[in-house]
Amino acid sequence: MSFRAPIRDIDFALNAIAGLDAVAATGAFPDYDPEIRAAILEAAGQFAEGVLAPLNREGDLKGASYANGAVTAAPGFVEAYHSFAEGGWAGLAAEADLGGQGLPKALELAAFESFHAANMAFGLCPMLSLAAIEALSHVGTPRQKDLYLSRLITGEWTGAMVLTEPQAGSDLGALTATAIPNGDGTYALSGQKIFITWGDHDATDNIVHLVLARLPDAPRGSRGISLFLAPKIMVKDDGSLGERNSFRPVGVEHKLGIHASPTCVMSYEGATAELVGEPNQGLAHMFIMMNSARLAVGVEGVGIAERAFQHALAYAQDRRQGRSIWTGEANAPIIDHPDVRRMLVVMKAKVAAARAICLSTAVAADLARHAAGEDERRHWKGREDLFVPIAKAWSTDMACEVASMGVQVHGGMGFIEETGAAQYYRDARITPIYEGTNGIQAGDLVGRKLSQDGGGAAKALIAEMKAILPELARLLPGKPTERLAAGIESTEDATLWMLDRKAEAESAADVLAGSDAYLKLLGDVVGGWMLAKGALEADRRLKSNDGGDRAWLQSKIDLYEAYAANVLGHCSSRLAAVGQGGDLLKRLGAEVLG
């Protein structure tokens, strides 16, 4: 089926729920207005539908290829990338004086949802460039900004995050790659890196690698990591390209999905590199990239889930089997069977919730940088920190669930590759692993983000969610409101439990044992709160005849009600899992599980 960018849904989430107008009100984005927002989302949708989506299936079947120390992009991807760069998509949120368009980060991420939905393997390439842009914007030298950042912003070159090594995995403190001073301000970078997404390709003349490595006198562990920049092709002071640098791909991984996205094993053999930021501060500098990438991966989850939902919906409307319980029609489309309809409704509701979470996180990030007062910026920074692990983990778990349900809607045909449903499931499965597994996200949430301000950000969030209940009760009295209220109460209980346990050193295992359930509970409830905000805004527009399709606006109210029944109703079980304790898991060791 053809892909249709959900522009109206994205715009509603961005403006009516996430509150992009508050970002515009800061005055930090003089070139932004609602007409620009509409134009950007519309153009992104057209590019996604017309250029990227038609390449998705062939990219999955043929993939990127490796031969003789070089990677060749999947068919059509080079031309698509050139069109992407020419459209200015790489620099939407970059500063105007660096060649960007100076627009809110939230709008950039909203546009990228359509790219990920149309062709996730393609979207990964510019997504990683955005992370490199973020890092160099913050800690790059003037020379690095002039020679490298400007070309990343225009899309002339792409960027790659080069972190993982075979023996280290997610433990960056175990990295062994080295950077030896050359005596001229540059370094000789040596080591092997794995899982480097778009680490090599033929879509651009140059690729800027941001690499974690150790200086000779570096402290052991994570405190001894520095960040280095190594271009594939050396760049002269005048910006022209010189000789090939001494690193190369030695292979690409054969993966479950995203076949058109080359995942490279890279070998650095005394490659010329330069330091980015301060020595031994690579972990802090890397987290600038990582936080940007984590939120972007959350949006990636939203995109692939939206694509899986659309595919399943089209199939359910076309496939005929059995008698409709509602119309009595024989040989009815399977969308008229209650269980199929239920799956589609839950898919739609969860995608909408995740979209709102991700875009609200991006709005919080924009306000953390640009709100007028220091207290206000501190408030929004706390909200951003709290939401990033939720946006990343909850949205990507959702993507796998929705893509799996998409296969289920197809029945046996979903398990057959030719229908296309399986690709979305395969592609989605990497997202909970990217940029720190979702277990790491949960550990980060309870280990650092929850208590870094004494729990203030979480308590403020809970109070804000409670404040919506009286108005919601007037619109949807009874169970739809009661379920959100119960979910908020469960979240508050779980939060206080976590904060109490964190104050006790001997309870560390209890905190980590409940971290995944806590993140899922928070995501479920925050997603419900955001859909409730959307329902109230839809009701306001309906009552004021404030334009829009009345059936579509009513669907926002109905979608919240379905979410409340199918998702919020399970919050009590999430709460039980939060408090399971570490001793239980300790007892269930390998000798028992085996």
Side-chain angles (χ1 to χ4, degrees), residues 331-401:
N331 197 31
I334 63 171
I335 194 175
D336 266 7
H337 299 318
D339 188 57
V340 173
R341 183 77 61 93
R342 175 195 60 80
M343 285 190 285
L344 291 167
V345 166
V346 171
M347 292 166 77
K348 177 78 171 179
K350 286 201 164 188
V351 170
R355 176 182 291 124
I357 289 172
C358 289
L359 295 181
S360 294
T361 307
V363 165
D366 280 329
L367 290 172
R369 293 186 185 182
H370 302 294
E374 184 178 346
D375 288 345
E376 192 177 0
R377 289 194 297 274
R378 188 182 301 113
H379 164 79
W380 287 112
K381 180 59 178 171
R383 179 66 56 87
E384 177 195 3
D385 288 346
L386 190 69
F387 271 15
V388 164
I390 301 168
K392 192 277 175 181
W394 195 88
S395 300
T396 55
D397 281 342
M398 176 280 304
C400 292
E401 180 186 356

Side-chain angles (χ1 to χ4, degrees), residues 427-504:
D427 286 355
R429 191 58 192 84
I430 186 60
T431 59
I433 299 171
Y434 270 153
E435 312 308 338
T437 65
N438 285 357
I440 291 174
Q441 305 304 313
D444 180 48
L445 175 63
V446 301
R448 295 196 307 130
K449 304 299 176 59
L450 179 61
S451 58
Q452 65 185 6
D453 58 355
K459 292 173 182 176
L461 171 66
I462 290 166
E464 193 174 341
M465 291 194 293
K466 285 181 177 179
I468 204 176
L469 294 173
E471 187 180 2
L472 185 63
R474 287 190 288 272
L475 173 62
L476 294 169
K479 290 189 181 300
T481 299
E482 292 167 4
R483 285 174 176 141
L484 179 57
I488 296 170
E489 184 178 355
S490 293
T491 301
E492 185 169 32
D493 289 347
T495 299
L496 295 175
W497 186 90
M498 280 287 179
L499 290 170
D500 286 344
R501 292 302 185 280
K502 278 188 62 61
E504 305 169 358

Side-chain angles (χ1 to χ4, degrees), residues 53-68:
L55 300 175
N56 189 52
R57 184 62 175 159
E58 186 176 13
D60 180 60
L61 294 173
K62 296 185 178 179
S65 59
Y66 168 83
N68 301 318

Side-chain angles (χ1 to χ4, degrees), residues 213-379:
R214 294 184 180 280
L215 293 166
D217 58 350
R220 298 183 64 180
S222 60
R223 289 179 295 177
I225 298 171
S226 298
L227 182 63
F228 297 88
L229 184 156
K232 178 180 177 179
I233 309 296
M234 297 302 299
V235 182
K236 301 176 183 178
D237 287 340
D238 64 359
S240 61
L241 296 180
E243 298 179 351
R244 174 73 184 260
N245 206 347
S246 50
F247 67 83
R248 58 192 173 87
V250 295
V252 294
E253 304 290 357
H254 300 282
K255 308 185 296 294
L256 177 69
I258 54 166
H259 296 148
S261 172
T263 304
C264 302
V265 178
M266 301 296 306
S267 178
Y268 299 83
E269 301 156 347
T272 301
E274 52 190 275
L275 184 69
V276 178
E278 298 296 322
N280 302 325
Q281 294 298 309
L283 194 62
H285 301 334
M286 181 274 296
F287 267 108
I288 297 172
M289 292 191 293
M290 187 66 80
N291 281 331
S292 172
R294 284 175 173 173
L295 179 52
V297 170
V299 174
E300 188 176 60
V302 176
I304 194 65
E306 171 67 32
R307 187 71 185 273
F309 163 72
Q310 288 192 21
H311 202 84
L313 176 62
Y315 182 82
Q317 291 172 310
D318 184 63
R319 176 78 167 101
R320 291 179 171 270
Q321 180 176 308
R323 183 178 297 275
S324 169
I325 196 71
W326 289 305
T327 68
E329 179 186 1
N331 197 31
I334 63 171
I335 194 175
D336 266 7
H337 299 318
D339 188 57
V340 173
R341 183 77 61 93
R342 175 195 60 80
M343 285 190 285
L344 291 167
V345 166
V346 171
M347 292 166 77
K348 177 78 171 179
K350 286 201 164 188
V351 170
R355 176 182 291 124
I357 289 172
C358 289
L359 295 181
S360 294
T361 307
V363 165
D366 280 329
L367 290 172
R369 293 186 185 182
H370 302 294
E374 184 178 346
D375 288 345
E376 192 177 0
R377 289 194 297 274
R378 188 182 301 113
H379 164 79

Side-chain angles (χ1 to χ4, degrees), residues 81 84 90 105 112 116 120-136 152 157-163 195-201 207-210 258 261-264 288-290 292-294 296-297 300 434-435:
Y81 183 81
F84 176 91
K105 188 71 175 178
F112 266 67
H116 292 310
M120 180 176 149
F122 177 94
L124 281 162
C125 180
M127 186 195 85
L128 291 166
S129 293
L130 296 185
I133 288 169
E134 195 82 10
L136 290 177
L152 290 169
W157 298 344
T158 62
M161 289 174 59
V162 187
L163 314 180
F195 302 156
I196 309 307
T197 303
W198 284 90
D200 192 65
H201 57 81
I207 306 169
V208 180
H209 283 213
L210 291 180
I258 54 166
S261 172
T263 304
C264 302
I288 297 172
M289 292 191 293
M290 187 66 80
S292 172
R294 284 175 173 173
V297 170
E300 188 176 60
Y434 270 153
E435 312 308 338

